[in-house]
Amino acid sequence: MTAAMTQQRILRALAASLLALLSPAASAAPLALDVQGMIGRTNDPDHSVYHISEAELLKLPVHTITTSTTWTPKSTFSGPLLGDVLKLVDARADSIELRTIDDYSYTVSAREAERYGAILAYSRNGVRLTVSNFGPLFLIYPRDAYPSELSGSAAEAKFVWQIKAMVVK
Ligand SMILES: Nc1nc2c(c(=O)[nH]1)N[C@H]1C(S)=C(S)[C@@H](COP(=O)(O)O)O[C@H]1N2
Ligand SMILES: [Mo]
């Protein structure tokens, strides 16, 4: 192997590791959400699921909530309204079961989430949520604005993190 070839290999390896460092995939969980159940729009071959891609999630209007939670100091979360995600799939029922990477499941009322303007946050203080940091999606309510209603153990259960799928029922 010539010195020029060796040099080219090293350069290529360096470029690849630089790209890996810079790509969002290196720092963020894959941002996507599968929705099934009582929905009017699907995009899978069986017509049972709407797979919302990262591009589609990022295209929805971005809302922010600045609040502390039991697990995070006061910070600004951003992402779409749960209500806008439900509109995207033409959801036809109020009960939304959230399913997570750690296999937690919790059913929220879409009407209640709408009343609080709850968001499916994908960033905190401008940084994408990784799986080890509540990502890819964390359902956030404005707890600091409604401390008595949104604190305590019953309310804490509503703050669902690592969301990967929803079932509309
Ligand atoms: N993804 C995920 N979100 C979750 C949970 C969980 O286990 N996984 N636990 C819920 C419940 S029942 C409560 S009370 C709070 C607090 O969970 P912790 O006691 O593990 O902090 O987070 C809620 N959100
Ligand atoms: Mo809980």
Side-chain angles (χ1 to χ4, degrees):
M1 186 185 300
T2 67
M5 276 170 77
T6 308
Q7 197 181 29
Q8 209 179 14
R9 265 191 201 190
I10 292 172
L11 277 176
R12 219 176 277 149
L14 264 175
S17 38
L18 256 181
L19 263 179
L21 270 176
L22 293 174
S23 94
S27 58
L31 180 55
L33 181 66
D34 283 337
V35 192
Q36 52 178 299
M38 308 250 311
I39 57 177
R41 284 182 77 194
T42 59
N43 62 2
D44 72 320
D46 294 340
H47 306 291
S48 59
V49 177
Y50 193 100
H51 177 82
I52 309 180
S53 67
E54 169 163 347
E56 272 180 297
L57 281 167
L58 295 177
K59 242 190 289 169
L60 292 170
V62 183
H63 291 253
T64 62
I65 292 178
T66 299
T67 188
S68 64
T69 73
T70 304
W71 312 275
T72 48
K74 186 177 171 190
S75 5
T76 299
F77 291 90
S78 49
L81 290 173
L82 175 64
D84 282 345
V85 172
L86 294 173
K87 268 181 219 144
L88 175 71
V89 298
D90 189 13
R92 288 165 180 191
D94 185 65
S95 288
I96 317 297
E97 182 193 334
L98 303 171
R99 294 185 175 171
T100 71
I101 291 172
D102 62 339
D103 286 330
Y104 175 69
S105 129
Y106 185 82
T107 299
V108 300
S109 146
R111 211 174 317 124
E112 185 191 78
E114 186 170 359
R115 183 154 53 83
Y116 289 118
I119 65 172
L120 281 169
Y122 46 66
S123 303
R124 179 162 81 94
N125 294 337
V127 178
R128 203 65 85 71
L129 300 175
T130 60
V131 173
S132 52
N133 240 318
F134 311 103
L137 290 165
F138 190 0
L139 184 64
I140 294 291
Y141 300 76
R143 183 182 83 153
D144 289 353
Y146 302 90
S148 58
E149 296 167 37
L150 290 172
S151 306
S153 58
E156 277 178 9
K158 299 176 202 280
F159 289 74
V160 180
W161 56 82
Q162 293 181 333
I163 296 169
K164 63 174 182 188
M166 314 200 288
V167 186
V168 180
K169 332 181 178 183

